[in-house]
Amino acid sequence: MNIDDYIVRKAEKASLAARILSNVGTEEKNKALLSMARQLKKSEDNILRANEVDLKNAKKSGKNSAFIDRLSLDEKRINSMSEGLEKVASLPDPIGEGIKTWKRPNGLSIEKIRVPLGTIGIIYEARPNVTVDASALCLKSGNSVILRGGKEAINSNSTIYNVINKAAVESGLPEGSMEFIDVTERDAVEVLMKLNEFVDVLIPRGGRGLIKSVVKNSTVPVIETGAGNCHVYVDAQADLDMAEKIVVNAKAQRPAVCNAMETLLVHKDIAEKFLPHLGNTLKKLNVEIRGCSKTQKLIPDIKLASEEDYETEFLDLVLAVKVVDSIDEAIDHIYKYGTKHSESIITDNYTSSQKFLKEVDAAAVYVNASTRFTDGGEFGFGAEIGISTQKLHARGPMGLNELTTTKYMIYGNGQTRK
Amino acid sequence: MNIDDYIVRKAEKASLAARILSNVGTEEKNKALLSMARQLKKSEDNILRANEVDLKNAKKSGKNSAFIDRLSLDEKRINSMSEGLEKVASLPDPIGEGIKTWKRPNGLSIEKIRVPLGTIGIIYEARPNVTVDASALCLKSGNSVILRGGKEAINSNSTIYNVINKAAVESGLPEGSMEFIDVTERDAVEVLMKLNEFVDVLIPRGGRGLIKSVVKNSTVPVIETGAGNCHVYVDAQADLDMAEKIVVNAKAQRPAVCNAMETLLVHKDIAEKFLPHLGNTLKKLNVEIRGCSKTQKLIPDIKLASEEDYETEFLDLVLAVKVVDSIDEAIDHIYKYGTKHSESIITDNYTSSQKFLKEVDAAAVYVNASTRFTDGGEFGFGAEIGISTQKLHARGPMGLNELTTTKYMIYGNGQTRK
């Protein structure tokens, strides 16, 4: 069979399963998730053996240590995937939730309820845990899922998939609820991205290159996730101890994630008091600072920040710093360079806080808190499938509700339109 | 200037205006809408003169009467556009509405509020009223709008645009709030569909060809509207007088719209009692019936329905009819041929009604009412920009709320992530 037919067949199967899944009850879905959790733990040895193969190949082809780390599995990580499944089972089922009910003058009663999206395609890279996490969220929200992981993780992913898919089907979910694309040719993705008839949405999870390519080539609707060029702005009137703690947290607690801060903006009135001390603290944490000329005068021995630095999502222990004349300049800078992900102001001024909340356009806008909280878990969603950086459908952390759409159910007694 | 630069410049201008518009107050927006309404009426003569030119060209190039009707303006239609602006001014402003507020254990208070999408591109065909209706809804919801109408209406559209844009800007809205693409080259749309940097969403309004082309070629997120292959299913246990009234209404009250019924499904147990009488009624209304072989036995002198008939959105006084053995066969037929727009069951059986509501996947599912109610006005939204037939972002009639996205505003007092 050629790749086109192969992918079409899988997508069609997932689409047929979605029709059944949309009406599977909460108890059945939870039973399946818990069975998947158990089988995953039981299959630890198999999974680790498959992972060994992937790791060996990745090392042979010279992948860097960050890549190897994302790819690596161990007992702890498998336990954590298994616990993730249990966690999703414990979350409330979004399906069937009544969002709104109203009555029209002609007597029609309209109910807006939450229903599954249908079939969700997940295109991801070398993190095998996505195979489990994404499947759990899709199934719990009544969607079938088509998984397409990176070729470097193909052995780990396919072993994990076989375990959890078998558990799901044996506990009663329809075949096709989870489909896994086990060919590594790039063409497979190309085909998947055009299957509007069977696939309702694609969610790419991974680096910027992957996401851009999916957005560019897909005719299936896409939810864009990921890119975060986040800022913290320290206002003229601010608690500078708090500001330093937040800046350190937003930059250094976990620099490789999308909600980490990349550029610090500091009001000129407090720059002299704030920056020298902060500079020392950050240097001790091995943060490389690149500053504007004013910053260079206050923190010795740092590079001049370039235009490109302000544009860059470093995802590393690197920080661009700029001294600004006003909150307006800070907001303009964020408008120009930001990716509308997470932005924070540190201030003790009421007007500044309100202005920043109102004028900064981003998925999450903070006052006096670290940008690192933009996360489904931290928001209390229980789990997340990604952080949407687009405005359509979902914005910010996406939990189970964001994997649903709605349907109007309309109760009449003979109404016709005049 | 070449077309690329021209379109990019317009989109950039609209995007800059969106930033300002998102924080313009309700009173200012309403003032602008009412001024637009007044100026539109005042400019009636100019608009009708421009429309004359378009009509003359359209007739010369042999457009059919339905096309000419959609393109035609008269005093009544201009009044109705003007009243539409007043109506939108009177609707509640969705922007700033708090959707949810909650507190996290660490003390963070999270507020989810409604904000504008940003810049909305409307790609439409030969109906000049879209120029006004779409602009009104976009502006009221704090979005800037880029209008791209069909080349056959270019004179009408550009005259209308000049009138309402001048009124909007003079009453204080930022320049660029409305941009109009006044070149008719097809390239212009191609460029617009790739401007993800400046355009947040595209809404195509028109025939299936236009919509398909935008979905296929746009990298900007699209909201698909329009196609409706809608069904009415008359169950074994149903009030047949009510059923006939609903069928007549769903088919014949306005056949050219997307929420009109295209195929009637009838349970075999009541087919003999129901179809002969219905056949007579529909024939008097000049409805052409194409039926399955069982239908042909009950309604004389009708053509056999083909596979293609069941697939077709006739948008005309043509109806496909099929006798089915069970509600399951009806639901399967809808699954196979439907476009997930509007589906209705006529029944007096509780179990059937619940089964149909639950198992039929469509934007709107009705019991004992005409499919023709799937409409922003009929739903009580006050106005609509279209009917979404996709599952992402919005499904069914789209009013002002559907032209918004959300933003999380997070209030902290020094929180950092552990």
Side-chain angles (χ1 to χ4, degrees):
Chain A
M1 193 186 299
N2 68 25
I3 289 192
D4 279 46
D5 292 344
Y6 171 83
I7 303 295
V8 170
R9 216 190 35 160
K10 281 197 182 278
E12 193 176 0
K13 220 172 138 192
S15 172
L16 286 167
R19 186 182 168 195
I20 303 169
L21 257 181
S22 68
N23 283 303
V24 170
T26 309
E27 282 180 5
E28 286 89 331
K29 291 188 284 191
N30 290 345
K31 201 182 108 196
L33 291 168
L34 294 175
S35 165
M36 289 156 71
R38 276 192 306 273
Q39 293 304 322
L40 198 65
K41 257 196 270 190
K42 274 199 196 157
S43 311
E44 194 185 296
D45 292 346
N46 273 343
I47 295 169
L48 290 180
R49 265 197 301 275
N51 190 238
E52 271 307 310
V53 179
D54 287 333
L55 285 171
K56 219 156 103 186
N57 292 336
K59 282 171 193 159
K60 220 188 313 179
S61 67
K63 296 288 177 190
N64 65 25
S65 62
F67 187 96
I68 299 288
D69 177 57
R70 288 197 292 276
L71 178 58
S72 297
L73 294 177
D74 54 22
E75 195 191 330
K76 208 181 135 203
R77 285 191 173 176
I78 291 175
N79 272 339
S80 143
M81 289 192 266
S82 174
E83 282 159 22
L85 284 159
E86 289 167 6
K87 179 73 190 276
V88 172
S90 76
L91 293 175
D93 187 345
I95 299 309
E97 185 199 340
I99 293 169
K100 210 180 158 188
T101 306
W102 69 102
K103 202 128 188 166
R104 296 293 302 152
N106 59 7
L108 283 180
S109 170
I110 305 182
E111 193 180 353
K112 186 179 189 178
I113 64 153
R114 226 180 255 295
V115 297
L117 282 167
T119 298
I120 300 176
I122 310 280
I123 301 176
Y124 54 111
E125 296 184 323
R127 292 175 54 171
N129 65 303
V130 176
T131 310
V132 178
D133 300 350
S135 299
L137 289 165
C138 290
L139 293 181
K140 177 76 183 224
S141 51
N143 298 289
S144 65
V145 60
I146 301 175
L147 300 157
R148 158 67 180 200
K151 67 171 187 293
E152 297 84 356
I154 186 76
N155 293 291
S156 316
N157 286 338
S158 88
T159 307
I160 291 172
Y161 166 76
N162 285 326
V163 170
I164 58 176
N165 183 53
K166 188 161 175 269
V169 171
E170 281 179 0
S171 83
L173 296 192
E175 294 226 28
S177 298
M178 278 179 261
E179 288 292 331
F180 178 75
I181 295 179
D182 52 12
V183 295
T184 53
E185 281 88 344
R186 267 196 158 259
D187 296 2
V189 186
E190 300 296 323
V191 178
L192 187 64
M193 289 192 292
K194 310 285 182 197
L195 291 180
N196 298 52
E197 190 187 345
F198 301 122
V199 187
D200 295 284
V201 55
L202 284 181
I203 305 178
R205 282 189 54 172
R208 210 177 256 209
L210 171 76
I211 290 163
K212 275 204 169 162
S213 147
V214 176
V215 169
K216 194 175 155 211
N217 296 305
S218 180
T219 57
V220 173
V222 175
I223 299 180
E224 218 176 320
T225 63
N229 189 7
C230 306
H231 301 75
V232 172
Y233 163 60
V234 183
D235 195 31
Q237 185 183 330
D239 176 334
L240 297 186
D241 286 340
M242 181 202 284
E244 182 170 306
K245 278 188 196 112
I246 288 173
V247 166
V248 166
N249 186 260
K251 179 69 258 178
Q253 192 249 355
R254 200 173 165 201
V257 291
C258 62
N259 56 20
M261 167 185 58
E262 305 295 2
T263 294
L264 169 69
L265 303 166
V266 178
H267 192 284
K268 66 173 173 19
D269 291 357
I270 48 97
E272 264 179 67
K273 253 174 89 179
F274 182 61
L275 282 176
H277 191 274
L278 176 74
N280 278 331
T281 308
L282 290 175
K283 276 181 188 169
K284 277 181 213 152
L285 293 164
N286 296 313
V287 175
E288 181 195 336
I289 300 171
R290 301 178 189 171
C292 65
S293 57
K294 285 176 191 155
T295 306
Q296 283 185 309
K297 282 180 199 143
L298 300 168
I299 306 178
D301 306 324
I302 59 167
K303 275 214 294 193
L304 186 67
S306 67
E307 185 75 6
E308 206 197 321
D309 286 326
Y310 294 130
E311 284 165 358
T312 301
E313 190 185 1
F314 298 113
L315 296 172
D316 205 346
L317 287 175
V318 180
L319 178 69
V321 180
K322 190 180 183 188
V323 174
V324 295
D325 286 345
S326 64
I327 184 171
D328 284 304
E329 192 187 337
I331 293 173
D332 283 345
H333 183 99
I334 292 169
Y335 178 79
K336 186 167 174 197
Y337 297 103
T339 53
K340 302 183 195 286
H341 189 298
S342 300
E343 310 293 350
S344 182
I345 183 174
I346 316 302
T347 188
D348 206 23
N349 180 280
Y350 173 79
T351 304
S352 291
S353 69
Q354 291 297 310
K355 183 180 170 76
F356 194 85
L357 285 170
K358 199 175 153 193
E359 294 185 15
V360 172
D361 181 28
V365 186
Y366 293 83
V367 179
N368 294 343
S370 169
T371 53
R372 290 275 295 108
F373 287 104
T374 306
D375 171 276
E378 294 296 328
F379 271 35
F381 297 168
E384 77 168 29
I385 194 127
I387 296 173
S388 164
T389 49
Q390 67 179 38
K391 293 184 180 179
L392 223 58
H393 185 71
R395 197 178 193 201
M398 293 189 290
L400 288 170
N401 280 355
E402 284 70 27
L403 297 178
T404 67
T405 181
T406 58
K407 155 162 128 179
Y408 291 106
M409 306 207 301
I410 299 140
Y411 298 82
N413 51 10
Q415 282 81 355
T416 53
R417 190 148 166 201
K418 305 282 174 295
Chain B
M1 195 184 301
N2 69 25
I3 289 193
D4 278 45
D5 292 345
Y6 171 82
I7 302 296
V8 170
R9 216 191 35 161
K10 282 199 180 278
E12 192 175 1
K13 219 172 140 192
S15 171
L16 286 167
R19 185 181 170 194
I20 302 169
L21 257 181
S22 67
N23 284 304
V24 169
T26 309
E27 281 178 7
E28 286 89 331
K29 290 189 283 193
N30 290 345
K31 201 181 108 198
L33 291 168
L34 294 175
S35 164
M36 289 156 71
R38 277 192 305 273
Q39 293 305 322
L40 198 64
K41 257 195 273 193
K42 273 199 198 158
S43 312
E44 193 185 296
D45 292 346
N46 271 343
I47 295 169
L48 290 179
R49 264 196 303 276
N51 189 239
E52 272 306 312
V53 179
D54 287 332
L55 285 171
K56 219 155 102 187
N57 292 336
K59 283 170 193 158
K60 220 187 312 179
S61 66
K63 296 287 177 190
N64 66 24
S65 62
F67 188 96
I68 299 289
D69 177 56
R70 288 197 292 275
L71 178 58
S72 296
L73 293 177
D74 55 21
E75 193 189 332
K76 209 179 133 203
R77 285 190 173 177
I78 291 175
N79 271 340
S80 144
M81 289 192 268
S82 174
E83 281 158 22
L85 284 160
E86 289 167 7
K87 179 72 190 278
V88 172
S90 77
L91 294 174
D93 187 344
I95 300 308
E97 186 199 339
I99 294 169
K100 212 181 157 188
T101 306
W102 69 100
K103 202 129 187 164
R104 296 293 301 153
N106 60 7
L108 282 180
S109 171
I110 305 182
E111 193 180 354
K112 186 179 189 177
I113 64 153
R114 226 180 254 297
V115 297
L117 282 167
T119 298
I120 300 176
I122 310 280
I123 302 177
Y124 54 110
E125 296 184 322
R127 292 175 54 170
N129 65 304
V130 176
T131 311
V132 178
D133 300 350
S135 299
L137 289 165
C138 290
L139 293 181
K140 177 74 183 225
S141 50
N143 298 290
S144 65
V145 61
I146 301 174
L147 300 157
R148 157 67 181 201
K151 66 173 188 293
E152 297 84 357
I154 185 77
N155 292 291
S156 316
N157 286 339
S158 88
T159 306
I160 291 172
Y161 166 76
N162 285 327
V163 170
I164 59 177
N165 182 53
K166 187 161 175 269
V169 171
E170 281 179 3
S171 84
L173 296 193
E175 295 227 26
S177 298
M178 276 179 265
E179 287 291 331
F180 179 76
I181 295 178
D182 53 12
V183 295
T184 54
E185 281 87 343
R186 266 193 159 261
D187 296 1
V189 186
E190 300 296 323
V191 178
L192 187 62
M193 290 193 290
K194 310 286 182 195
L195 290 180
N196 297 52
E197 191 187 346
F198 301 123
V199 186
D200 294 284
V201 55
L202 283 181
I203 304 179
R205 282 189 54 171
R208 211 178 256 208
L210 170 76
I211 290 164
K212 275 203 171 164
S213 146
V214 176
V215 168
K216 195 176 156 211
N217 296 306
S218 179
T219 57
V220 173
V222 175
I223 298 180
E224 218 177 320
T225 63
N229 188 7
C230 306
H231 302 75
V232 173
Y233 163 60
V234 183
D235 195 29
Q237 186 183 330
D239 176 335
L240 297 187
D241 286 342
M242 182 203 283
E244 183 170 306
K245 278 188 197 113
I246 288 172
V247 167
V248 166
N249 186 260
K251 178 70 258 178
Q253 192 248 355
R254 201 174 164 201
V257 290
C258 61
N259 56 19
M261 169 185 56
E262 306 295 2
T263 294
L264 170 69
L265 303 167
V266 179
H267 193 283
K268 68 172 171 18
D269 291 356
I270 47 99
E272 266 179 63
K273 254 175 89 178
F274 182 60
L275 282 176
H277 191 276
L278 177 73
N280 278 331
T281 309
L282 289 176
K283 276 180 188 170
K284 278 181 213 150
L285 293 164
N286 296 315
V287 175
E288 181 196 336
I289 300 171
R290 301 178 190 171
C292 65
S293 57
K294 285 175 190 156
T295 306
Q296 282 185 309
K297 283 179 197 143
L298 299 169
I299 307 178
D301 307 324
I302 58 167
K303 275 212 295 192
L304 185 68
S306 66
E307 185 76 7
E308 206 197 320
D309 285 326
Y310 294 130
E311 283 165 1
T312 302
E313 190 184 1
F314 299 113
L315 297 172
D316 204 347
L317 287 175
V318 181
L319 177 69
V321 181
K322 190 181 182 186
V323 175
V324 295
D325 287 345
S326 64
I327 184 171
D328 284 304
E329 192 186 337
I331 293 173
D332 283 346
H333 182 100
I334 292 169
Y335 178 77
K336 187 167 173 195
Y337 297 102
T339 52
K340 301 181 196 285
H341 189 297
S342 299
E343 310 293 350
S344 182
I345 182 174
I346 317 303
T347 189
D348 205 23
N349 180 281
Y350 173 78
T351 305
S352 292
S353 70
Q354 290 298 309
K355 184 180 169 74
F356 194 86
L357 285 170
K358 200 175 152 191
E359 294 185 15
V360 172
D361 181 29
V365 186
Y366 294 83
V367 179
N368 294 342
S370 170
T371 54
R372 290 275 296 109
F373 288 104
T374 305
D375 171 277
E378 293 296 328
F379 271 34
F381 297 168
E384 76 169 29
I385 194 127
I387 296 173
S388 164
T389 49
Q390 68 178 38
K391 294 185 178 177
L392 225 57
H393 185 71
R395 199 179 190 199
M398 293 188 291
L400 288 170
N401 279 356
E402 284 69 28
L403 297 178
T404 66
T405 181
T406 58
K407 156 161 127 178
Y408 291 105
M409 306 207 302
I410 299 140
Y411 298 82
N413 52 10
Q415 281 82 352
T416 54
R417 189 147 166 203
K418 305 284 173 294

